[in-house]
């Protein structure tokens, strides 16, 4: 293997320690810890486990965790009232609506009701618009974590060719914008892109945000390419693989995030950092 491993676990540990100290400081000054409210509609086991992991992560750094668990079958109007209430509540600094919502609930309408100053998932149309215009905003956690890894490993971005595979609002699109703001020349590929291998082969920086196990293989990479793999794909045997075939890619890449242990651990730290930033007055003045 030739590639440098971009180690998300090591970075997450450093970030956690820095956040714990900053939050202690904030809490001592303001007599109140920053508070994150997670709104969840019951019924999804994967969501349950994610919410538990957020709760633990909050506890580890001293953020107050408020779990607003709504019963399965909750009406859209009730969900919207809860989000409006939390947006207006001065005791709450950050709001995260756990997605996906059960069928019958409109996620877009619900997310849009979150006060953008508390939008710690960077999910509202306002946050997306601010990011698109290069204005200060709370960033979506997953792409923010990918950028943090690139920064910590001092990977040069200006003038580099970047290919982001995947165009979701929460991962692919914001990642492309963040790379663009760092002066990379960015291409976004998706399911209708013909000859994905030829597109990926042009990239100095390859970002995978697809949800297809091992879609990107070593033979698709330019030698020395930097590879950021956001993919989380659970296999039947309970193991997790990325969107990149790690074994073949690591032979060709200059640096690569492993799965697990790459982008995943950094994502939650970005959420916690957003909560602190929102509590401090945020990217957007409150
Ligand atoms: P989505 O399903 O919303 O988007 C997937 C994207 O991949 C779409 O834009 C789709 O194209 C594109 N795509 C699908 N098949 C192909 C293909 N064969 N070739 C090229 N592009 C393709 O997924 P998310 O963005 O929400 O998540 C992406 C991955 O990141 C998943 O594995 C998810 O589990 C993971 N994830 C990781 C997180 C982390 O912390 N590391 C957090 C959140 C997600 P089109 O638009 O044309 O349909």
């Amino acid at each position: 293997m030739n590639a440098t491993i971009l180690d998300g676990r090591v970075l997450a540990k450093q970030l956690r320690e820095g956040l714990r100290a900053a939050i202690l400081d904030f809490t001592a000054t303001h007599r109140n810890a920053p508070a994150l409210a997670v709104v969840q509609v019951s019924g999804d086991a994967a969501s349950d486990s994610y919410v538990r992991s957020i709760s633990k992560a909050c506890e580890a750094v001293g953020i107050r965790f408020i779990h607003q668990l709504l019963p399965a079958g909750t009406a859209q109007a009730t969900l919207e009232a809860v989000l409006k209430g939390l947006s207006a509540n001065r005791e709450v600094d950050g709001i995260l609506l756990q997605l996906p919502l059960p069928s019958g609930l409109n996620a877009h309408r619900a997310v849009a009701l979150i006060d953008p100053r508390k939008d710690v998932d960077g999910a509202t149309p306002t946050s997306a618009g601010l990011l698109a215009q290069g204005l200060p905003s709370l960033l979506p956690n997953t792409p923010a974590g990918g950028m943090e890894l690139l920064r910590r490993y001092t990977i040069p971005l200006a003038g580099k060719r970047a290919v982001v595979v995947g165009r979701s609002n929460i991962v692919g699109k914001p990642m492309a914008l963040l790379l663009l703001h760092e002066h990379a020349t960015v291409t976004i590929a998706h399911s209708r892109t013909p000859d994905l291998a030829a597109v990926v082969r042009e990239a100095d920086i390859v970002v995978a945000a697809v949800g297809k196990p091992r879609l990107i293989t070593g033979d698709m990479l330019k030698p020395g390419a930097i590879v950021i793999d956001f993919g989380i794909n659970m296999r039947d045997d309970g193991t997790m693989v990325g969107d990149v075939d790690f074994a073949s890619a690591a032979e060709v890449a200059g640096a690569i995030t492993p799965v697990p242990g790459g982008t995943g651990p950094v994502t939650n730290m970005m959420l916690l950092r957003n909560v602190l930033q929102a509590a401090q007055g945020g990217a957007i003045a409150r």
Side-chain angles (χ1 to χ4, degrees), residues 178-193:
L178 290 167
L179 288 164
L180 184 64
H181 295 332
E182 294 299 328
H183 315 292
T185 302
V186 183
T187 299
I188 305 180
H190 45 77
S191 67
R192 313 284 181 90
T193 301

Side-chain angles (χ1 to χ4, degrees), residues 122 125-135 137 139-140 143-144 147 157 162-164 166-188 207 230:
T126 301
S127 297
L130 290 167
L131 172 59
Q133 294 197 352
L135 295 170
S137 63
L139 298 176
M147 293 303 290
L157 300 175
V163 170
V164 179
R167 56 175 165 179
S168 73
N169 285 333
I170 202 73
V171 191
K173 235 183 263 173
M175 185 68 187
L177 286 166
L178 290 167
L179 288 164
L180 184 64
H181 295 332
E182 294 299 328
H183 315 292
T185 302
V186 183
T187 299
I188 305 180
V207 177
F230 287 125

Side-chain angles (χ1 to χ4, degrees), residues 142 165-168 170-171 190-192 196 209-212 215 230-233 243 263-264 267:
T142 303
V165 189
R167 56 175 165 179
S168 73
I170 202 73
V171 191
H190 45 77
S191 67
R192 313 284 181 90
L196 182 67
V210 187
K212 296 265 185 295
L215 176 75
F230 287 125
I232 299 177
N233 305 292
D243 293 340
T263 56
T267 298

